[in-house]
Amino acid sequence: MGSGSLTRAVYPSKGSLQGNQNRTNRFPCRMGHRLDVLDTPPRSRATAPGSSKCGACLCTETAHIGCVKTPLLPRSPMSSNSLNEGVPVAAHPPLFGVRRPLSCPTPVRTALTAGDGAALQVHHIAGGDKGPVILAPGTAMSALCFLTDTTEQSFAEYLAAEGFDIWLFDWRTSPYLAAHNQEYDFDDVARYDWPAAIEHVREATGAAQVSVLAHCLSSPCMMLSLVRGYTDPGHIKAFVPSQVGLHLVMNKANRLKVSLGVDRLLPANRMVHHAQDTPREGMWDLAVGFLAAVWPKSYSCDNPACHRHSATYGDIVLHEKINDATHALMGELVPEVNSSFLKGVAPSSRADDILDDDDRRHLDRLDVPMLLISGQENQMFVPEATERTWHMLHDALGANIQRETFEGFGHLDCYLSGEARRPIWERLAGFLENGG
């Protein structure tokens, strides 16, 4: 990428920038410093004063990045003006368009309205003729996580190169949407978000069916959308519930936390913060900080966001599977979560599954080509989560329901790791294309 070849995208502001007019964006590095991106000719990598570790952050040979120990700008949701129809997004620092140009067509952001009026969004990557695929992220994330440029090729770029038409779906959990500040639960997402996304893609493409990959808690929401009749199963070509299904089986530490009812101590509709650049607001944030210091983990690292993630959700990634640049992004990838959603998830985790009696009478609505997947080393939702769902649905529906685990992988690293292409992505591409 030559100097000046990268077009900066118009994207949600995190606050107005003062000072040097050449500065186009600011974002945190692994050391928690502000990085100022300057549109200047290439220079040598800069390191923070007194630190030798910022070489592992977001520095690049094609844009000078200097670390400055100053407070970060507050994160804010997208304004309504930024949700214009058809906005090309060639870059979204620090997730992509920073270290290298995208190898896929430029994503185009489009506004999407949920059934209850909530403002959602999709990013469309125009691909080939293998049909539309909706990729949905987990809790407190944007679907742009599938497009990070910290490896040679992201999962979304891989699917686009394979000939799929990609739709990155931000449901109301996305930190870039104002809706994430409002209370919501599984049924809200199942009833209002998933039907809107599927119909939007079907109308935009003219396709009768779409394929869906739903990661983490977007997966049970999609399953409820089907079983409760909000989404027509005839509109689904192939469905990949990623890491969890109808049974929210967590690791031992989080099962203990849920069994003790720690969630009942959380206030309703407050933001639990993980990213370095967000202020700590109340006792709940202090409590997460305490748990982060003492909570058992499968890794040792110097990124505070990872430790706060583990205390809130479990270990989001298998650390040995991600590189330093990806590790630096963890706080930005999962920056904050609404406490009301966590409080709603906890009772479902204490129950055997997320279904009610009426749901159980309609398991036939889940009879779509389905591949449940788990990372064998997942320390958030353990593999038993998809295993139990597979047993339930396979017994009821038969061979249409498949399951596969991937040895040596955890949770989100199945999509962020540069090592995931051959064992995971190739399998997923084949299933999303053929449903088998």
Side-chain angles (χ1 to χ4, degrees):
M1 180 177 67
S3 176
S5 65
L6 180 63
T7 302
R8 302 290 179 187
V10 178
Y11 212 76
S13 171
K14 293 186 178 179
S16 59
L17 298 178
Q18 304 296 327
N20 192 329
Q21 296 301 307
N22 287 328
R23 292 175 182 171
T24 60
N25 212 309
R26 297 177 177 182
F27 44 89
C29 77
R30 182 173 179 174
M31 301 301 294
H33 311 140
R34 168 174 290 178
L35 302 182
D36 296 333
V37 183
L38 308 178
D39 286 337
T40 58
R43 304 180 187 178
S44 61
R45 294 189 181 196
T47 57
S51 170
S52 61
K53 293 187 177 181
C54 271
C57 68
L58 303 177
C59 299
T60 174
E61 298 294 343
T62 58
H64 172 64
I65 300 178
C67 294
V68 184
K69 291 185 176 180
T70 54
L72 289 157
L73 298 169
R75 175 176 288 98
S76 58
M78 289 184 179
S79 67
S80 58
N81 290 334
S82 69
L83 284 174
N84 295 324
E85 295 291 325
V87 178
V89 183
H92 174 42
L95 301 188
F96 63 86
V98 179
R99 290 149 287 266
R100 59 172 177 79
L102 293 177
S103 63
C104 61
T106 299
V108 175
R109 183 179 67 241
T110 303
L112 175 65
T113 302
D116 62 349
L120 312 176
Q121 66 176 2
V122 291
H123 287 80
H124 177 217
I125 302 172
D129 58 3
K130 290 186 179 180
V133 174
I134 299 175
L135 304 181
T139 307
M141 301 184 70
S142 166
L144 296 177
C145 69
F146 296 113
L147 201 56
T148 55
D149 66 2
T150 54
T151 57
E152 290 183 3
Q153 187 180 46
S154 68
F155 180 53
E157 289 172 302
Y158 168 77
L159 290 180
E162 290 296 304
F164 292 95
D165 194 47
I166 308 302
W167 298 80
L168 304 176
F169 171 41
D170 274 13
W171 51 290
R172 66 188 63 209
T173 198
S174 170
Y176 299 121
L177 299 177
H180 92 292
N181 290 307
Q182 306 301 317
E183 294 188 37
Y184 60 94
D185 59 22
F186 279 170
D187 192 71
D188 291 329
V189 182
R191 183 189 299 261
Y192 303 122
D193 294 11
W194 271 114
I198 290 167
E199 286 310 302
H200 175 87
V201 173
R202 290 179 68 243
E203 291 178 9
T205 62
Q209 293 184 314
V210 301
S211 293
V212 172
L213 184 147
H215 176 65
C216 194
L217 290 181
S218 68
S219 167
C221 294
M222 176 60 185
M223 299 183 90
L224 287 178
S225 191
L226 288 165
V227 81
R228 293 179 179 175
Y230 306 144
T231 292
D232 186 341
H235 295 163
I236 305 303
K237 178 181 179 182
F239 175 32
V240 177
S242 171
Q243 311 296 342
V244 65
L246 300 172
H247 301 78
L248 309 187
V249 187
M250 300 178 177
N251 65 21
K252 291 180 179 179
N254 277 324
R255 287 204 297 269
L256 175 62
K257 181 174 65 177
V258 168
S259 68
L260 293 174
V262 173
D263 52 286
R264 298 185 181 99
L265 302 178
L266 278 174
N269 204 29
R270 293 291 186 270
M271 207 58 64
V272 178
H273 299 95
H274 305 301
Q276 291 273 99
D277 65 333
T278 50
R280 310 305 181 215
E281 293 184 348
M283 290 300 295
W284 58 93
D285 268 335
L286 294 177
V288 170
F290 171 76
L291 287 176
V294 302
W295 206 250
K297 309 171 187 74
S298 62
Y299 60 88
S300 175
C301 81
D302 59 359
N303 188 334
C306 294
H307 296 263
R308 294 181 71 86
H309 291 157
S310 292
T312 304
Y313 315 103
D315 298 354
I316 288 182
V317 293
L318 192 62
H319 273 55
E320 55 262 38
K321 286 297 186 183
I322 61 171
N323 61 26
D324 286 335
T326 304
H327 185 242
L329 292 182
M330 292 310 300
E332 184 68 21
L333 287 169
V334 192
E336 58 193 25
V337 63
N338 194 307
S339 62
S340 289
F341 189 63
L342 297 178
K343 289 172 70 69
V345 170
S348 297
S349 302
R350 285 189 283 268
D352 185 58
D353 56 51
I354 66 172
L355 302 173
D356 61 28
D357 290 340
D358 191 56
D359 297 334
R360 297 178 206 283
R361 288 190 287 269
H362 295 289
L363 290 182
D364 59 296
R365 294 172 178 168
L366 289 167
D367 192 10
V368 300
M370 185 184 303
L371 175 64
L372 294 127
I373 70 164
S374 286
Q376 190 63 46
E377 312 304 322
N378 194 329
Q379 289 300 309
M380 184 176 172
F381 290 108
V382 297
E384 184 185 348
T386 57
E387 182 181 19
R388 290 173 62 182
T389 298
W390 178 82
H391 279 296
M392 171 187 280
L393 297 182
H394 189 268
D395 289 348
L397 304 174
N400 219 14
I401 311 301
Q402 303 176 47
R403 176 178 178 266
E404 194 160 341
T405 61
F406 296 96
E407 186 176 355
F409 287 88
H411 189 74
L412 188 57
D413 49 288
C414 290
Y415 305 103
L416 298 183
S417 173
E419 301 176 28
R421 172 173 174 167
R422 183 172 299 277
I424 302 177
W425 299 355
E426 290 182 2
R427 173 70 173 107
L428 296 180
F431 185 82
L432 290 168
E433 180 182 4
N434 301 312

